[in-house]
Amino acid sequence: SMSIDLAGCTELTDAAIVAVADKCPNLALLDVTRCYKLTNTAVVAIANKCTNLVSLNTAGCDNLTSTAIVTVADKCINLAKLNVGRCSELTDTAIVAVADKCTNLAELDVG
């Protein structure tokens, strides 16, 4: 299964992640830790196109809101690992959605 690690690529924008989503429907693992410029647009594209995702790390992506994570919960039902640490805009809504929908979740980091 495909994994893409872009952790620390601080200049990456949504356009790059939307392109990944379009071209990599079988993506299983995505790490965009500290990709500070990313917004909901990037994560929603991944959720909608990469429904086999099992691991997502958006730690430090502080532009993300609950809308993005709720979409991940709705679309990526096989998600086993989610790190949303330091995503300061997230609310309870995001975590409740993940807990409700992602029944295979083994690891959740909200630190």
Side-chain angles (χ1 to χ4, degrees):
S1 59
M2 177 178 276
S3 64
I4 298 179
D5 185 350
L6 298 167
C9 296
T10 55
E11 295 304 307
L12 270 190
T13 67
D14 290 340
I17 303 304
V18 168
V20 166
D22 283 337
K23 301 287 189 221
C24 307
N26 295 319
L27 188 65
L29 183 154
L30 179 64
D31 189 344
V32 289
T33 304
R34 298 186 312 281
C35 294
Y36 301 116
K37 293 186 175 182
L38 298 185
T39 73
N40 287 355
T41 300
V43 174
V44 167
I46 291 290
N48 283 323
K49 300 281 178 69
C50 307
T51 53
N52 296 316
L53 203 67
V54 292
S55 177
L56 177 63
N57 190 336
T58 62
C61 297
D62 52 11
N63 292 315
L64 297 183
T65 72
S66 292
T67 301
I69 302 304
V70 168
T71 306
V72 169
D74 283 340
K75 304 286 184 174
C76 304
I77 57 168
N78 295 316
L79 199 69
K81 183 175 180 183
L82 177 65
N83 187 336
V84 290
R86 300 182 306 288
C87 295
S88 52
E89 298 298 313
L90 294 189
T91 64
D92 292 354
T93 307
I95 306 310
V96 169
V98 168
D100 190 39
K101 302 278 176 60
C102 302
T103 54
N104 293 324
L105 199 71
E107 188 175 329
L108 175 62
D109 187 343
V110 294

